[in-house]
Amino acid sequence: MSARGTLRHRRFIGRVSSLSAAVALAATLSACSGDEPPKKAYTVPSSLCGISVDPALVKAVLPGGDSLTTATQKPNGGTIRCNLSVDGKLVLSLAQAWWSEGKTTAAVSPAYPGTKDGTMSEDERFIYSGQAGVGRTVPSCKTSEHPEQDLYTTVETRDTGIDDPEAIEKLLVAYTKAVEGSTACREPGTGS
């Protein structure tokens, strides 16, 4: 190989080495920049504020983080809200709220802004978007404490970047069925 050929060969090897270094640097930087969602290092309990829900359905609408806490809130006599926080930040609310009898899901849903432009289920019991949903319990869900009222459920994400209508729908339907099977839908002491 001539001196000129050797010089060209070295330049080529130098360019390949520089390209390899650039690719390695880019890969390292993209791994650090958060292209992958943060890991969900917490455990979701099977009972949220007294209502049993499949933890996998709940986790699907939660952001990444290290710790999960739950807190029950009763803002008025007809609402029970279960707030979930990840690393101290409120990220999800599951609620039960009594509304005047005869209201439709479409009439109740505007009270929950995340359901705007949501999808209505065929049976018109559920409306949901990628961030929130409202569900109406079965007509037999009655208590003397709330006469002439129907019980609705809600699922609302809170500024988490979650936008998954399918996951919201699955959680909303499961949560509504769990509420229907709980003491929220029957008189105390009457069993199931």
Side-chain angles (χ1 to χ4, degrees), residues 123-144:
D123 62 5
E124 297 186 355
R125 286 183 56 202
F126 304 97
I127 190 166
Y128 56 91
S129 70
Q131 298 86 35
V134 174
R136 182 172 37 91
T137 61
V138 291
S140 61
C141 179
K142 298 287 181 196
T143 66
S144 58

